[in-house]
Amino acid sequence: QRKVVVEQLKSEIDTNQAIREDQRGFNVIATPGYPELIANMINLNTDRNNTAFIVGDTPLRLEGTSTNLQNWANNTAGASDNGEDGLVSASDHLGVFYPSGQTTDNAGKSIVVPPSHMMIRVLANNDSIAFPWFAPAGTRRGVVDNATAVGYIDSEGEFESISVTESVRDSMHEVKINPITFFAGAGIVNFGNLTKTTSSSALDRINVSRLAVFLRTQLDAVAKPFIFEPNDELTRNEIKGAIESFLLELVGQRA
């Protein structure tokens, strides 16, 4: 049943032209509960000139030990695609988070939700009190307020609540998986700011990656009025002035 759903979701993301059009504005991409869709979201973002940040999920049944997490992130099992067995894809604009959460539905029933359920809200809260180029992590901007516990689904199909210890967080940091954990006095907090990049650069941080996304979108808007203008010194000075003004404003906002 899940395979049928995954195949249809992949087909929809890969063939949908409407979400690839310029007038469709969005800066976050997620498919909550489906790590199988990570590669397809990366391809969609590439088609859109990397103008969004991808929130990637870990499997609901991934047990929270250092060994299990590192094996999954390093694809020790040799999986051919993202999913339960391993993580295959990487991108400067992908962040992967663990573990899942527990909350209640509209009827008050306890349900298990994927990490992206929590992280999409964390990103929105971060942007409302700060800017995309601030790290959506820590006790100031990384607090999760739409879940009451974090954990995974065990072999019996039950939710196992866990606390992601410091040693596990350190091992997750090595493989660029961001931990969501409980801190006394703060509650549940996203405590990671890493992208799943393959290179060593400033883009290995989520806030820098999201700044690059913001710059691409805004610089495109700044430059559009100058298309078809005479390619002379006056036009180039106007473009230079507009971009410098925009970047100086960002510097003033601590970008």
Side-chain angles (χ1 to χ4, degrees):
Q1 191 177 51
R2 184 179 179 91
K3 183 179 179 182
V4 173
V5 174
V6 167
E7 288 178 355
Q8 185 61 40
L9 284 170
K10 287 187 173 186
S11 175
E12 183 63 26
I13 290 178
D14 292 344
T15 62
N16 191 319
Q17 293 305 309
I19 57 176
R20 286 167 166 78
E21 295 173 356
D22 291 344
Q23 62 266 35
R24 304 275 181 171
F26 52 86
N27 60 15
V28 175
I29 304 174
T31 315
Y34 289 92
E36 297 96 326
L37 274 291
I38 288 176
N40 306 79
M41 291 189 288
I42 292 173
N43 291 337
L44 168 62
N45 200 30
T46 300
D47 290 346
R48 290 183 56 87
N49 195 30
N50 290 320
T51 51
F53 181 76
I54 302 159
V55 181
D57 283 318
T58 45
L60 296 174
R61 292 173 174 81
L62 182 59
E63 189 175 347
T65 67
S66 296
T67 300
N68 286 335
L69 287 163
Q70 289 196 331
N71 286 346
W72 183 82
N74 291 327
N75 192 22
T76 303
S80 59
D81 194 9
N82 303 294
E84 295 283 337
D85 297 328
L87 180 64
V88 176
S89 300
S91 170
D92 292 341
H93 302 294
L94 165 68
V96 181
F97 301 86
Y98 179 86
S100 302
Q102 186 178 51
T103 185
T104 55
D105 62 14
N106 291 336
K109 182 181 178 181
S110 292
I111 57 172
V112 180
V113 293
S116 59
H117 170 88
M118 299 176 280
M119 285 310 304
I120 291 172
R121 186 169 174 87
V122 167
L123 292 175
N125 288 338
N126 173 83
D127 295 359
S128 69
I129 63 174
F131 300 98
W133 47 88
F134 280 66
T139 57
R140 289 188 176 181
R141 295 179 304 278
V143 174
V144 173
D145 60 7
N146 61 345
T148 56
V150 292
Y152 65 97
I153 298 177
D154 63 20
S155 59
E156 302 296 323
E158 298 293 330
F159 180 79
E160 182 75 23
S161 179
I162 63 173
S163 177
V164 186
T165 63
E166 184 174 358
S167 61
V168 173
R169 294 198 303 269
D170 289 344
S171 65
M172 292 172 66
H173 184 88
E174 293 175 5
V175 292
K176 301 175 182 176
I177 303 294
N178 299 296
I180 303 173
T181 189
F182 178 84
F183 286 109
I188 300 173
V189 173
N190 170 46
F191 210 64
N193 188 42
L194 294 175
T195 63
K196 200 70 176 72
T197 181
T198 56
S199 60
S200 179
S201 73
L203 288 172
D204 64 1
R205 296 295 188 271
I206 290 174
N207 61 308
V208 179
S209 174
R210 296 191 71 214
L211 172 60
V213 164
F214 181 82
L215 284 170
R216 285 192 189 95
T217 305
Q218 296 303 312
L219 288 175
D220 184 64
V222 169
K224 265 191 170 66
F226 298 100
I227 297 176
F228 304 116
E229 290 303 298
N231 185 10
D232 56 18
E233 186 177 359
L234 178 59
T235 299
R236 289 191 290 273
N237 285 339
E238 287 181 355
I239 295 173
K240 182 173 180 288
I243 292 176
E244 282 184 344
S245 176
F246 166 67
L247 294 178
L248 283 172
E249 183 180 359
L250 288 187
V251 171
Q253 294 169 338
R254 303 172 70 185

